[in-house]
Amino acid sequence: MTRPNDGNNPLERLSALLARMPGIGGKTAMRLALSLVRADEEYVAALSEAIGTIHQRLRFCSICCDLCAEEICERCRDARRDRSIICVIAQPQDRMAIDRSGAFSGLYHVLHGVLDPLSGVGPAELKVSELLQRVGEGEVQEAIVATSPNVEGDATALYLAKLLRPLGVRVSRIASGVAVGGELEYADMNTVQRALADRRSL
Amino acid sequence: MTRPNDGNNPLERLSALLARMPGIGGKTAMRLALSLVRADEEYVAALSEAIGTIHQRLRFCSICCDLCAEEICERCRDARRDRSIICVIAQPQDRMAIDRSGAFSGLYHVLHGVLDPLSGVGPAELKVSELLQRVGEGEVQEAIVATSPNVEGDATALYLAKLLRPLGVRVSRIASGVAVGGELEYADMNTVQRALADRRSL
């Protein structure tokens, strides 16, 4: 039985490149590649251009280190936001989740990761010195550490608290426990432990 | 609460373009966009180029209508393949599934769809005239119609059989029934009906 080598086929090549994105398997990649073959020329050109220029177009905001197109991001430029409270997050997606909640009107600080010694991620790999310098400037009064409540996120929060407290800011941590709308019955053991330990008086 | 408009943000723009691909929701699109931000420059440039040139680089094979880079595709050029038997399929992915099975060494014919009057897809929208012309040239002795066993696929198969038989070729249909390795208990009603109706003597 012949098993043709498709290395030179533009479709197989596109599919192989798409399959290198996280969570995109071989079959999904081929489905996406074929959807691009069928898509209109204008869209395909726009997508190609957006991908090809993303590195040049994005930079770190010089205040909060979020990804943005300008020297200072939209949020850090927004005079209506409370500059005395910053929310320290691991990645840009987390900022979007908090934005969606509509429950925070301060500024952010994006670490671009969490401490993870096993993967070689230490403070130098994160935007930690930028955070310390920013807090050291005196405008910030509270830092909410909103890394995810898992081993790395908790360790990062404790580490940052130790560095930030001497600078005279209040350091807090987002609450964790049973999700709103979730069922206690189905919550995992660690979440139930945390929900009990962090109980609040009514 | 401020809800910033991110229309000019290159990251949001890339994410919005990625989200137009089938099966890619908003969160997945943002995850992919951020993965491209973190990816190395070489990969991002290669992906951008592969997407931007896919329309120019692909054409229909002038024999089997599969997508390929040349006038005639690799399979149709392969002298080791049996040219007397062709497998008629709806889309390029189906060719890949049959290739993977290793059970077919003839040539293909890609219809690029199935008859679907409700969506306005008639014979003129498919590579049907190309199939008839090809079979009319006399080399083909059997056409296996391998469209999927659903309403549109079955209707397409019956329609093609009616057109192909007068040209003196044997027309067959792939078997359908309980999947190999599957459980009769969990097979749907239509599959069980088909499995019984198409039973074969042992």
PDB file of all heavy atoms in Angstrom, chain A residues 1 4-5 17 22 31 34 36 39 41 43-44 48 51 55 74-75 93 102, chain B residues 1 4-5 17 22 31 34 36 39 41 43-44 48 51 55 74-75 93 102:
ATOM      1  N   MET A   1       0.858  -1.204   0.000  1.00  0.00           N
ATOM      2  CA  MET A   1       0.000   0.000   0.000  1.00  0.00           C
ATOM      3  C   MET A   1       0.894   1.254   0.000  1.00  0.00           C
ATOM      4  O   MET A   1       1.806   1.356   0.801  1.00  0.00           O
ATOM      5  CB  MET A   1      -0.855  -0.046   1.277  1.00  0.00           C
ATOM      6  CG  MET A   1      -2.221   0.521   1.146  1.00  0.00           C
ATOM      7  SD  MET A   1      -3.441  -0.341   0.093  1.00  0.00           S
ATOM      8  CE  MET A   1      -2.597  -1.632  -0.777  1.00  0.00           C
ATOM      9  N   PRO A   4       1.659   8.049   0.665  1.00  0.00           N
ATOM     10  CA  PRO A   4       2.345   9.202   0.084  1.00  0.00           C
ATOM     11  C   PRO A   4       2.894  10.139   1.144  1.00  0.00           C
ATOM     12  O   PRO A   4       2.288  10.352   2.180  1.00  0.00           O
ATOM     13  CB  PRO A   4       1.268   9.890  -0.736  1.00  0.00           C
ATOM     14  CG  PRO A   4      -0.027   9.374  -0.233  1.00  0.00           C
ATOM     15  CD  PRO A   4       0.237   8.025   0.341  1.00  0.00           C
ATOM     16  N   ASN A   5       4.052  10.677   0.865  1.00  0.00           N
ATOM     17  CA  ASN A   5       4.659  11.690   1.713  1.00  0.00           C
ATOM     18  C   ASN A   5       4.113  13.046   1.290  1.00  0.00           C
ATOM     19  O   ASN A   5       4.331  13.490   0.172  1.00  0.00           O
ATOM     20  CB  ASN A   5       6.180  11.634   1.548  1.00  0.00           C
ATOM     21  CG  ASN A   5       6.847  12.812   2.219  1.00  0.00           C
ATOM     22  OD1 ASN A   5       6.206  13.568   2.947  1.00  0.00           O
ATOM     23  ND2 ASN A   5       8.137  12.967   1.984  1.00  0.00           N
ATOM     24  N   LEU A  17       1.571  23.255  10.674  1.00  0.00           N
ATOM     25  CA  LEU A  17       1.891  24.486  11.420  1.00  0.00           C
ATOM     26  C   LEU A  17       0.774  24.814  12.410  1.00  0.00           C
ATOM     27  O   LEU A  17       1.024  25.184  13.554  1.00  0.00           O
ATOM     28  CB  LEU A  17       2.106  25.647  10.455  1.00  0.00           C
ATOM     29  CG  LEU A  17       3.428  25.636   9.675  1.00  0.00           C
ATOM     30  CD1 LEU A  17       3.394  26.621   8.514  1.00  0.00           C
ATOM     31  CD2 LEU A  17       4.603  25.953  10.606  1.00  0.00           C
ATOM     32  N   PRO A  22      -1.282  25.246  20.886  1.00  0.00           N
ATOM     33  CA  PRO A  22      -1.711  24.404  22.007  1.00  0.00           C
ATOM     34  C   PRO A  22      -3.173  23.993  21.885  1.00  0.00           C
ATOM     35  O   PRO A  22      -4.028  24.812  21.547  1.00  0.00           O
ATOM     36  CB  PRO A  22      -1.493  25.317  23.224  1.00  0.00           C
ATOM     37  CG  PRO A  22      -1.544  26.700  22.675  1.00  0.00           C
ATOM     38  CD  PRO A  22      -0.965  26.625  21.291  1.00  0.00           C
ATOM     39  N   ARG A  31      -8.899  20.336   9.739  1.00  0.00           N
ATOM     40  CA  ARG A  31     -10.211  20.947   9.570  1.00  0.00           C
ATOM     41  C   ARG A  31     -10.064  22.476   9.443  1.00  0.00           C
ATOM     42  O   ARG A  31     -10.691  23.108   8.581  1.00  0.00           O
ATOM     43  CB  ARG A  31     -11.094  20.584  10.770  1.00  0.00           C
ATOM     44  CG  ARG A  31     -12.550  20.929  10.641  1.00  0.00           C
ATOM     45  CD  ARG A  31     -13.401  20.262  11.728  1.00  0.00           C
ATOM     46  NE  ARG A  31     -12.875  20.448  13.075  1.00  0.00           N
ATOM     47  CZ  ARG A  31     -12.941  21.589  13.768  1.00  0.00           C
ATOM     48  NH1 ARG A  31     -13.532  22.642  13.253  1.00  0.00           N
ATOM     49  NH2 ARG A  31     -12.444  21.658  14.984  1.00  0.00           N
ATOM     50  N   LEU A  34      -8.496  23.377   6.034  1.00  0.00           N
ATOM     51  CA  LEU A  34      -9.480  23.300   4.935  1.00  0.00           C
ATOM     52  C   LEU A  34     -10.486  24.444   5.028  1.00  0.00           C
ATOM     53  O   LEU A  34     -10.971  24.937   4.010  1.00  0.00           O
ATOM     54  CB  LEU A  34     -10.190  21.941   4.956  1.00  0.00           C
ATOM     55  CG  LEU A  34      -9.314  20.801   4.424  1.00  0.00           C
ATOM     56  CD1 LEU A  34      -9.851  19.450   4.839  1.00  0.00           C
ATOM     57  CD2 LEU A  34      -9.205  20.875   2.905  1.00  0.00           C
ATOM     58  N   LEU A  36      -9.721  27.386   5.927  1.00  0.00           N
ATOM     59  CA  LEU A  36      -9.008  28.538   5.363  1.00  0.00           C
ATOM     60  C   LEU A  36      -8.972  28.449   3.839  1.00  0.00           C
ATOM     61  O   LEU A  36      -9.032  29.467   3.153  1.00  0.00           O
ATOM     62  CB  LEU A  36      -7.593  28.623   5.940  1.00  0.00           C
ATOM     63  CG  LEU A  36      -7.545  28.996   7.430  1.00  0.00           C
ATOM     64  CD1 LEU A  36      -6.138  28.835   7.989  1.00  0.00           C
ATOM     65  CD2 LEU A  36      -8.039  30.419   7.644  1.00  0.00           C
ATOM     66  N   ALA A  39     -12.222  29.722   2.869  1.00  0.00           N
ATOM     67  CA  ALA A  39     -12.556  31.076   3.339  1.00  0.00           C
ATOM     68  C   ALA A  39     -12.280  32.107   2.252  1.00  0.00           C
ATOM     69  O   ALA A  39     -11.529  31.844   1.314  1.00  0.00           O
ATOM     70  CB  ALA A  39     -11.732  31.394   4.581  1.00  0.00           C
ATOM     71  N   GLU A  41     -10.778  35.403   0.394  1.00  0.00           N
ATOM     72  CA  GLU A  41      -9.410  35.910   0.273  1.00  0.00           C
ATOM     73  C   GLU A  41      -9.122  37.023   1.283  1.00  0.00           C
ATOM     74  O   GLU A  41      -8.050  37.081   1.890  1.00  0.00           O
ATOM     75  CB  GLU A  41      -9.200  36.412  -1.164  1.00  0.00           C
ATOM     76  CG  GLU A  41      -7.783  36.844  -1.499  1.00  0.00           C
ATOM     77  CD  GLU A  41      -6.788  35.714  -1.304  1.00  0.00           C
ATOM     78  OE1 GLU A  41      -7.071  34.586  -1.770  1.00  0.00           O
ATOM     79  OE2 GLU A  41      -5.763  35.934  -0.679  1.00  0.00           O
ATOM     80  N   TYR A  43     -10.429  37.617   4.261  1.00  0.00           N
ATOM     81  CA  TYR A  43     -10.243  37.122   5.624  1.00  0.00           C
ATOM     82  C   TYR A  43      -8.886  36.451   5.784  1.00  0.00           C
ATOM     83  O   TYR A  43      -8.169  36.677   6.764  1.00  0.00           O
ATOM     84  CB  TYR A  43     -11.379  36.153   5.985  1.00  0.00           C
ATOM     85  CG  TYR A  43     -11.088  35.327   7.214  1.00  0.00           C
ATOM     86  CD1 TYR A  43     -10.971  35.923   8.456  1.00  0.00           C
ATOM     87  CD2 TYR A  43     -10.890  33.954   7.122  1.00  0.00           C
ATOM     88  CE1 TYR A  43     -10.673  35.184   9.585  1.00  0.00           C
ATOM     89  CE2 TYR A  43     -10.587  33.202   8.240  1.00  0.00           C
ATOM     90  CZ  TYR A  43     -10.478  33.820   9.474  1.00  0.00           C
ATOM     91  OH  TYR A  43     -10.175  33.078  10.577  1.00  0.00           O
ATOM     92  N   VAL A  44      -8.533  35.623   4.814  1.00  0.00           N
ATOM     93  CA  VAL A  44      -7.273  34.888   4.895  1.00  0.00           C
ATOM     94  C   VAL A  44      -6.093  35.866   4.923  1.00  0.00           C
ATOM     95  O   VAL A  44      -5.148  35.706   5.702  1.00  0.00           O
ATOM     96  CB  VAL A  44      -7.161  33.904   3.707  1.00  0.00           C
ATOM     97  CG1 VAL A  44      -5.762  33.328   3.598  1.00  0.00           C
ATOM     98  CG2 VAL A  44      -8.172  32.765   3.886  1.00  0.00           C
ATOM     99  N   SER A  48      -3.520  36.277   8.082  1.00  0.00           N
ATOM    100  CA  SER A  48      -2.090  36.125   7.829  1.00  0.00           C
ATOM    101  C   SER A  48      -1.325  37.352   8.318  1.00  0.00           C
ATOM    102  O   SER A  48      -0.279  37.245   8.971  1.00  0.00           O
ATOM    103  CB  SER A  48      -1.864  35.919   6.332  1.00  0.00           C
ATOM    104  OG  SER A  48      -0.507  36.100   6.007  1.00  0.00           O
ATOM    105  N   ILE A  51      -1.315  37.631  12.209  1.00  0.00           N
ATOM    106  CA  ILE A  51      -0.365  36.697  12.829  1.00  0.00           C
ATOM    107  C   ILE A  51       1.066  37.171  12.578  1.00  0.00           C
ATOM    108  O   ILE A  51       1.881  37.244  13.497  1.00  0.00           O
ATOM    109  CB  ILE A  51      -0.571  35.263  12.270  1.00  0.00           C
ATOM    110  CG1 ILE A  51      -1.909  34.698  12.758  1.00  0.00           C
ATOM    111  CG2 ILE A  51       0.591  34.352  12.665  1.00  0.00           C
ATOM    112  CD1 ILE A  51      -2.268  33.347  12.168  1.00  0.00           C
ATOM    113  N   HIS A  55       4.056  40.056  16.768  1.00  0.00           N
ATOM    114  CA  HIS A  55       5.227  40.324  17.604  1.00  0.00           C
ATOM    115  C   HIS A  55       5.642  41.789  17.549  1.00  0.00           C
ATOM    116  O   HIS A  55       5.964  42.390  18.575  1.00  0.00           O
ATOM    117  CB  HIS A  55       6.403  39.436  17.196  1.00  0.00           C
ATOM    118  CG  HIS A  55       6.267  38.030  17.682  1.00  0.00           C
ATOM    119  ND1 HIS A  55       7.271  37.109  17.616  1.00  0.00           N
ATOM    120  CD2 HIS A  55       5.228  37.392  18.267  1.00  0.00           C
ATOM    121  CE1 HIS A  55       6.857  35.966  18.124  1.00  0.00           C
ATOM    122  NE2 HIS A  55       5.616  36.103  18.518  1.00  0.00           N
ATOM    123  N   GLU A  74      -4.173  50.999  27.691  1.00  0.00           N
ATOM    124  CA  GLU A  74      -5.440  51.704  27.821  1.00  0.00           C
ATOM    125  C   GLU A  74      -5.867  51.875  29.279  1.00  0.00           C
ATOM    126  O   GLU A  74      -6.321  52.946  29.686  1.00  0.00           O
ATOM    127  CB  GLU A  74      -6.468  50.836  27.104  1.00  0.00           C
ATOM    128  CG  GLU A  74      -7.655  51.529  26.563  1.00  0.00           C
ATOM    129  CD  GLU A  74      -8.494  50.530  25.768  1.00  0.00           C
ATOM    130  OE1 GLU A  74      -7.957  49.466  25.380  1.00  0.00           O
ATOM    131  OE2 GLU A  74      -9.686  50.810  25.563  1.00  0.00           O
ATOM    132  N   ARG A  75      -5.702  50.809  30.073  1.00  0.00           N
ATOM    133  CA  ARG A  75      -6.149  50.874  31.465  1.00  0.00           C
ATOM    134  C   ARG A  75      -5.271  51.813  32.296  1.00  0.00           C
ATOM    135  O   ARG A  75      -5.778  52.601  33.091  1.00  0.00           O
ATOM    136  CB  ARG A  75      -6.166  49.476  32.087  1.00  0.00           C
ATOM    137  CG  ARG A  75      -7.400  48.712  31.672  1.00  0.00           C
ATOM    138  CD  ARG A  75      -7.290  47.234  31.861  1.00  0.00           C
ATOM    139  NE  ARG A  75      -8.233  46.619  30.946  1.00  0.00           N
ATOM    140  CZ  ARG A  75      -8.014  46.427  29.658  1.00  0.00           C
ATOM    141  NH1 ARG A  75      -6.865  46.778  29.118  1.00  0.00           N
ATOM    142  NH2 ARG A  75      -8.942  45.894  28.892  1.00  0.00           N
ATOM    143  N   GLN A  93      -4.955  36.773  30.170  1.00  0.00           N
ATOM    144  CA  GLN A  93      -6.301  36.200  30.231  1.00  0.00           C
ATOM    145  C   GLN A  93      -6.978  36.475  31.575  1.00  0.00           C
ATOM    146  O   GLN A  93      -8.190  36.592  31.657  1.00  0.00           O
ATOM    147  CB  GLN A  93      -6.285  34.677  30.061  1.00  0.00           C
ATOM    148  CG  GLN A  93      -5.827  34.155  28.726  1.00  0.00           C
ATOM    149  CD  GLN A  93      -4.383  33.725  28.779  1.00  0.00           C
ATOM    150  OE1 GLN A  93      -3.510  34.506  29.170  1.00  0.00           O
ATOM    151  NE2 GLN A  93      -4.110  32.486  28.392  1.00  0.00           N
ATOM    152  N   GLY A 102     -16.481  42.849  36.130  1.00  0.00           N
ATOM    153  CA  GLY A 102     -16.900  44.218  36.404  1.00  0.00           C
ATOM    154  C   GLY A 102     -16.727  44.611  37.869  1.00  0.00           C
ATOM    155  O   GLY A 102     -17.273  45.611  38.319  1.00  0.00           O
TER     156      GLY A 102
ATOM    157  N   MET B   1     -18.294  51.188  36.236  1.00  0.00           N
ATOM    158  CA  MET B   1     -17.171  50.308  35.879  1.00  0.00           C
ATOM    159  C   MET B   1     -16.790  50.538  34.422  1.00  0.00           C
ATOM    160  O   MET B   1     -17.640  50.522  33.547  1.00  0.00           O
ATOM    161  CB  MET B   1     -17.630  48.851  36.080  1.00  0.00           C
ATOM    162  CG  MET B   1     -16.572  47.912  36.544  1.00  0.00           C
ATOM    163  SD  MET B   1     -15.847  48.132  38.216  1.00  0.00           S
ATOM    164  CE  MET B   1     -16.486  49.636  38.867  1.00  0.00           C
ATOM    165  N   PRO B   4     -13.307  48.790  28.743  1.00  0.00           N
ATOM    166  CA  PRO B   4     -12.537  49.345  27.637  1.00  0.00           C
ATOM    167  C   PRO B   4     -12.886  48.698  26.301  1.00  0.00           C
ATOM    168  O   PRO B   4     -13.137  47.497  26.238  1.00  0.00           O
ATOM    169  CB  PRO B   4     -11.088  49.052  28.020  1.00  0.00           C
ATOM    170  CG  PRO B   4     -11.146  47.986  29.043  1.00  0.00           C
ATOM    171  CD  PRO B   4     -12.464  48.085  29.711  1.00  0.00           C
ATOM    172  N   ASN B   5     -12.893  49.488  25.268  1.00  0.00           N
ATOM    173  CA  ASN B   5     -13.094  48.984  23.918  1.00  0.00           C
ATOM    174  C   ASN B   5     -11.733  48.580  23.367  1.00  0.00           C
ATOM    175  O   ASN B   5     -10.852  49.404  23.211  1.00  0.00           O
ATOM    176  CB  ASN B   5     -13.710  50.098  23.066  1.00  0.00           C
ATOM    177  CG  ASN B   5     -13.719  49.732  21.596  1.00  0.00           C
ATOM    178  OD1 ASN B   5     -13.421  48.591  21.246  1.00  0.00           O
ATOM    179  ND2 ASN B   5     -14.059  50.687  20.761  1.00  0.00           N
ATOM    180  N   LEU B  17     -10.091  37.410  14.773  1.00  0.00           N
ATOM    181  CA  LEU B  17      -9.926  36.742  13.468  1.00  0.00           C
ATOM    182  C   LEU B  17      -9.833  35.230  13.651  1.00  0.00           C
ATOM    183  O   LEU B  17     -10.437  34.460  12.891  1.00  0.00           O
ATOM    184  CB  LEU B  17      -8.675  37.269  12.759  1.00  0.00           C
ATOM    185  CG  LEU B  17      -8.798  38.680  12.171  1.00  0.00           C
ATOM    186  CD1 LEU B  17      -7.427  39.229  11.802  1.00  0.00           C
ATOM    187  CD2 LEU B  17      -9.701  38.674  10.935  1.00  0.00           C
ATOM    188  N   PRO B  22     -13.962  27.668  12.191  1.00  0.00           N
ATOM    189  CA  PRO B  22     -15.009  26.802  12.745  1.00  0.00           C
ATOM    190  C   PRO B  22     -14.546  26.065  13.996  1.00  0.00           C
ATOM    191  O   PRO B  22     -13.427  25.554  14.040  1.00  0.00           O
ATOM    192  CB  PRO B  22     -15.280  25.816  11.604  1.00  0.00           C
ATOM    193  CG  PRO B  22     -14.041  25.821  10.781  1.00  0.00           C
ATOM    194  CD  PRO B  22     -13.484  27.203  10.878  1.00  0.00           C
ATOM    195  N   ARG B  31      -6.659  32.174  23.717  1.00  0.00           N
ATOM    196  CA  ARG B  31      -5.572  31.286  24.140  1.00  0.00           C
ATOM    197  C   ARG B  31      -4.590  31.078  22.984  1.00  0.00           C
ATOM    198  O   ARG B  31      -3.365  31.120  23.157  1.00  0.00           O
ATOM    199  CB  ARG B  31      -6.166  29.949  24.614  1.00  0.00           C
ATOM    200  CG  ARG B  31      -5.196  29.033  25.311  1.00  0.00           C
ATOM    201  CD  ARG B  31      -5.916  27.877  26.018  1.00  0.00           C
ATOM    202  NE  ARG B  31      -6.890  27.201  25.184  1.00  0.00           N
ATOM    203  CZ  ARG B  31      -6.602  26.345  24.200  1.00  0.00           C
ATOM    204  NH1 ARG B  31      -5.344  26.058  23.947  1.00  0.00           N
ATOM    205  NH2 ARG B  31      -7.547  25.774  23.487  1.00  0.00           N
ATOM    206  N   LEU B  34      -2.563  34.314  22.315  1.00  0.00           N
ATOM    207  CA  LEU B  34      -1.484  34.488  23.293  1.00  0.00           C
ATOM    208  C   LEU B  34      -0.363  33.487  23.070  1.00  0.00           C
ATOM    209  O   LEU B  34       0.803  33.783  23.304  1.00  0.00           O
ATOM    210  CB  LEU B  34      -2.040  34.391  24.715  1.00  0.00           C
ATOM    211  CG  LEU B  34      -2.816  35.637  25.140  1.00  0.00           C
ATOM    212  CD1 LEU B  34      -3.693  35.361  26.347  1.00  0.00           C
ATOM    213  CD2 LEU B  34      -1.863  36.783  25.458  1.00  0.00           C
ATOM    214  N   LEU B  36       0.582  32.544  20.200  1.00  0.00           N
ATOM    215  CA  LEU B  36       1.354  33.098  19.082  1.00  0.00           C
ATOM    216  C   LEU B  36       2.243  34.250  19.551  1.00  0.00           C
ATOM    217  O   LEU B  36       3.349  34.430  19.054  1.00  0.00           O
ATOM    218  CB  LEU B  36       0.414  33.563  17.968  1.00  0.00           C
ATOM    219  CG  LEU B  36      -0.319  32.418  17.242  1.00  0.00           C
ATOM    220  CD1 LEU B  36      -1.391  32.960  16.317  1.00  0.00           C
ATOM    221  CD2 LEU B  36       0.682  31.568  16.463  1.00  0.00           C
ATOM    222  N   ALA B  39       5.112  32.534  20.953  1.00  0.00           N
ATOM    223  CA  ALA B  39       5.834  31.633  20.040  1.00  0.00           C
ATOM    224  C   ALA B  39       7.050  32.324  19.437  1.00  0.00           C
ATOM    225  O   ALA B  39       7.130  33.547  19.423  1.00  0.00           O
ATOM    226  CB  ALA B  39       4.888  31.165  18.940  1.00  0.00           C
ATOM    227  N   GLU B  41       9.637  33.769  16.635  1.00  0.00           N
ATOM    228  CA  GLU B  41       9.414  34.594  15.441  1.00  0.00           C
ATOM    229  C   GLU B  41       9.356  33.745  14.163  1.00  0.00           C
ATOM    230  O   GLU B  41       8.525  33.977  13.285  1.00  0.00           O
ATOM    231  CB  GLU B  41      10.533  35.631  15.358  1.00  0.00           C
ATOM    232  CG  GLU B  41      10.387  36.647  14.255  1.00  0.00           C
ATOM    233  CD  GLU B  41       9.103  37.454  14.385  1.00  0.00           C
ATOM    234  OE1 GLU B  41       8.782  37.924  15.492  1.00  0.00           O
ATOM    235  OE2 GLU B  41       8.409  37.591  13.361  1.00  0.00           O
ATOM    236  N   TYR B  43       8.465  30.598  13.708  1.00  0.00           N
ATOM    237  CA  TYR B  43       7.205  29.854  13.569  1.00  0.00           C
ATOM    238  C   TYR B  43       6.062  30.775  13.163  1.00  0.00           C
ATOM    239  O   TYR B  43       5.272  30.475  12.272  1.00  0.00           O
ATOM    240  CB  TYR B  43       6.869  29.133  14.886  1.00  0.00           C
ATOM    241  CG  TYR B  43       5.439  28.648  14.952  1.00  0.00           C
ATOM    242  CD1 TYR B  43       4.988  27.653  14.098  1.00  0.00           C
ATOM    243  CD2 TYR B  43       4.530  29.208  15.853  1.00  0.00           C
ATOM    244  CE1 TYR B  43       3.670  27.225  14.132  1.00  0.00           C
ATOM    245  CE2 TYR B  43       3.218  28.788  15.898  1.00  0.00           C
ATOM    246  CZ  TYR B  43       2.797  27.799  15.041  1.00  0.00           C
ATOM    247  OH  TYR B  43       1.490  27.384  15.063  1.00  0.00           O
ATOM    248  N   VAL B  44       5.981  31.934  13.812  1.00  0.00           N
ATOM    249  CA  VAL B  44       4.895  32.870  13.532  1.00  0.00           C
ATOM    250  C   VAL B  44       4.961  33.340  12.071  1.00  0.00           C
ATOM    251  O   VAL B  44       3.942  33.411  11.380  1.00  0.00           O
ATOM    252  CB  VAL B  44       4.959  34.059  14.517  1.00  0.00           C
ATOM    253  CG1 VAL B  44       4.042  35.179  14.077  1.00  0.00           C
ATOM    254  CG2 VAL B  44       4.582  33.596  15.923  1.00  0.00           C
ATOM    255  N   SER B  48       2.095  32.588   9.266  1.00  0.00           N
ATOM    256  CA  SER B  48       1.508  33.721   8.548  1.00  0.00           C
ATOM    257  C   SER B  48       1.635  33.529   7.043  1.00  0.00           C
ATOM    258  O   SER B  48       0.692  33.735   6.280  1.00  0.00           O
ATOM    259  CB  SER B  48       2.214  35.008   8.985  1.00  0.00           C
ATOM    260  OG  SER B  48       1.918  36.051   8.096  1.00  0.00           O
ATOM    261  N   ILE B  51      -0.628  30.633   5.716  1.00  0.00           N
ATOM    262  CA  ILE B  51      -2.028  31.034   5.620  1.00  0.00           C
ATOM    263  C   ILE B  51      -2.218  31.998   4.448  1.00  0.00           C
ATOM    264  O   ILE B  51      -3.102  31.834   3.623  1.00  0.00           O
ATOM    265  CB  ILE B  51      -2.497  31.693   6.940  1.00  0.00           C
ATOM    266  CG1 ILE B  51      -2.577  30.639   8.050  1.00  0.00           C
ATOM    267  CG2 ILE B  51      -3.863  32.375   6.763  1.00  0.00           C
ATOM    268  CD1 ILE B  51      -2.894  31.200   9.428  1.00  0.00           C
ATOM    269  N   HIS B  55      -4.328  30.069  -0.719  1.00  0.00           N
ATOM    270  CA  HIS B  55      -5.216  30.123  -1.883  1.00  0.00           C
ATOM    271  C   HIS B  55      -4.433  30.039  -3.193  1.00  0.00           C
ATOM    272  O   HIS B  55      -4.826  29.327  -4.108  1.00  0.00           O
ATOM    273  CB  HIS B  55      -6.057  31.405  -1.861  1.00  0.00           C
ATOM    274  CG  HIS B  55      -7.194  31.343  -0.895  1.00  0.00           C
ATOM    275  ND1 HIS B  55      -8.196  32.278  -0.858  1.00  0.00           N
ATOM    276  CD2 HIS B  55      -7.498  30.443   0.061  1.00  0.00           C
ATOM    277  CE1 HIS B  55      -9.057  31.958   0.087  1.00  0.00           C
ATOM    278  NE2 HIS B  55      -8.649  30.862   0.672  1.00  0.00           N
ATOM    279  N   GLU B  74      -0.299  14.038  -6.440  1.00  0.00           N
ATOM    280  CA  GLU B  74       0.637  12.962  -6.180  1.00  0.00           C
ATOM    281  C   GLU B  74       0.041  11.575  -6.453  1.00  0.00           C
ATOM    282  O   GLU B  74       0.688  10.719  -7.044  1.00  0.00           O
ATOM    283  CB  GLU B  74       0.999  13.069  -4.690  1.00  0.00           C
ATOM    284  CG  GLU B  74       2.315  12.545  -4.303  1.00  0.00           C
ATOM    285  CD  GLU B  74       2.557  12.837  -2.817  1.00  0.00           C
ATOM    286  OE1 GLU B  74       1.861  13.743  -2.272  1.00  0.00           O
ATOM    287  OE2 GLU B  74       3.389  12.178  -2.206  1.00  0.00           O
ATOM    288  N   ARG B  75      -1.200  11.375  -6.006  1.00  0.00           N
ATOM    289  CA  ARG B  75      -1.811  10.061  -6.162  1.00  0.00           C
ATOM    290  C   ARG B  75      -2.103   9.750  -7.625  1.00  0.00           C
ATOM    291  O   ARG B  75      -1.872   8.649  -8.107  1.00  0.00           O
ATOM    292  CB  ARG B  75      -3.087   9.954  -5.330  1.00  0.00           C
ATOM    293  CG  ARG B  75      -2.762   9.672  -3.882  1.00  0.00           C
ATOM    294  CD  ARG B  75      -3.886  10.005  -2.942  1.00  0.00           C
ATOM    295  NE  ARG B  75      -3.297  10.239  -1.629  1.00  0.00           N
ATOM    296  CZ  ARG B  75      -2.722  11.380  -1.272  1.00  0.00           C
ATOM    297  NH1 ARG B  75      -2.718  12.409  -2.086  1.00  0.00           N
ATOM    298  NH2 ARG B  75      -2.172  11.485  -0.086  1.00  0.00           N
ATOM    299  N   GLN B  93     -10.698  15.442   3.551  1.00  0.00           N
ATOM    300  CA  GLN B  93     -10.493  14.698   4.795  1.00  0.00           C
ATOM    301  C   GLN B  93     -10.847  13.211   4.647  1.00  0.00           C
ATOM    302  O   GLN B  93     -10.273  12.352   5.306  1.00  0.00           O
ATOM    303  CB  GLN B  93     -11.370  15.226   5.934  1.00  0.00           C
ATOM    304  CG  GLN B  93     -11.094  16.629   6.379  1.00  0.00           C
ATOM    305  CD  GLN B  93     -12.063  17.617   5.770  1.00  0.00           C
ATOM    306  OE1 GLN B  93     -12.193  17.679   4.548  1.00  0.00           O
ATOM    307  NE2 GLN B  93     -12.731  18.403   6.597  1.00  0.00           N
ATOM    308  N   GLY B 102      -5.227   2.237   4.843  1.00  0.00           N
ATOM    309  CA  GLY B 102      -4.313   1.407   4.061  1.00  0.00           C
ATOM    310  C   GLY B 102      -5.039   0.358   3.229  1.00  0.00           C
ATOM    311  O   GLY B 102      -4.429  -0.590   2.742  1.00  0.00           O
TER     312      GLY B 102
END
